[in-house]
Amino acid sequence: MVQKAKILLVDDRPENLLALEAILSALDQHLVRASSGEEALKALLTEDFAVILLDVQMPGMDGFETAAHIKRRERTRDIPIIFLTAINHGPHHTFRGYAAGAVDYISKPFDPWVLRAKVSVFVELYMKNLQLREQAGLLRLQLEGAQKGNGDGAAQTGLLAELSARLAAAEEQAEALSKQLSGANAESAVVATAAHLERKLTGLRKAIDALEPGSRLDAE
């Protein structure tokens, strides 16, 4: 079963949430509704999200305050936030959105194709990071087995080969994503996130190569 990313949609107006769901349904991911900042923060206590679409103008806790709470929590501080607003008070208002931790700031009415494309990039990055964590977990098992010295050598070699193959697939996908971003005039925050993912993959590849039979580390 293919794992789906969760996207949090935060807006106090049901018709806006319905419109967002219609736009993003083509991504075939799990869309989660929240009708207030408080409801969004409650969902973020137990669920992991690839990206948050957050309305600025909401009664009670507005989007800026909600984003500030999200960025203060260690569990949620790295989740990308896209602000959606029906008003535009100029550069100062936009700057406040970025200062609150948003990676993008989109004024309504927005182009559905543009919004869907932006969200899809963050979903891809999220899935790549999940894949990377899986590879890191397998590598940890390999390292622990090597350090204990009591594992089956054939089994360890098979695990290492499987890990290397999975990592190769992740590297290929990350490279394709980076090329896509470089040619799409993407926001600097998105490009930086993709570059960080590539650095993680490079570090993991070096660690795997060091465990390969005949490597310098293996010889020592």
Side-chain angles (χ1 to χ4, degrees), residues 47-63:
E47 304 284 351
D48 293 323
F49 293 93
V51 60
I52 302 169
L53 275 63
L54 180 58
D55 184 43
V56 172
Q57 298 296 115
M58 295 187 294
M61 184 184 296
D62 66 12

Side-chain angles (χ1 to χ4, degrees), residues 41-198:
L41 293 176
K42 184 177 180 180
L44 287 161
L45 286 173
T46 55
E47 304 284 351
D48 293 323
F49 293 93
V51 60
I52 302 169
L53 275 63
L54 180 58
D55 184 43
V56 172
Q57 298 296 115
M58 295 187 294
M61 184 184 296
D62 66 12
F64 296 129
E65 187 178 354
T66 303
H69 281 289
I70 292 171
K71 293 303 177 181
R72 279 199 292 265
R73 294 178 178 176
E74 185 176 354
R75 174 186 172 89
T76 58
R77 65 179 55 164
D78 294 326
I79 302 176
I81 298 173
I82 299 177
F83 272 134
L84 304 176
T85 179
I87 59 175
N88 189 350
H89 293 312
H92 175 74
H93 195 72
T94 303
F95 174 77
R96 187 182 175 193
Y98 287 118
V103 296
D104 208 342
Y105 198 100
I106 303 177
S107 297
K108 303 174 185 176
F110 44 77
D111 186 328
W113 293 94
V114 171
L115 180 63
R116 188 159 52 239
K118 289 177 181 290
V119 171
S120 69
V121 169
F122 288 110
V123 168
E124 283 189 66
L125 288 171
Y126 175 79
M127 299 306 289
K128 297 298 183 297
N129 272 299
L130 282 184
Q131 190 177 17
L132 181 58
R133 283 200 290 269
E134 180 184 345
Q135 318 310 329
L138 287 172
L139 179 58
R140 257 194 311 273
L141 290 175
Q142 178 69 23
L143 287 171
E144 288 172 1
Q147 289 170 352
K148 290 177 181 178
N150 57 2
D152 184 343
Q156 289 185 12
T157 300
L159 178 60
L160 188 58
E162 179 184 354
L163 176 57
S164 183
R166 291 190 183 188
L167 180 58
E171 289 170 330
E172 182 178 346
Q173 292 168 354
E175 182 180 358
L177 180 59
S178 294
K179 289 180 179 177
Q180 175 188 338
L181 292 175
S182 63
N185 194 26
E187 290 79 9
S188 59
V190 182
V191 175
T193 303
H196 180 62
L197 176 61
E198 284 204 69

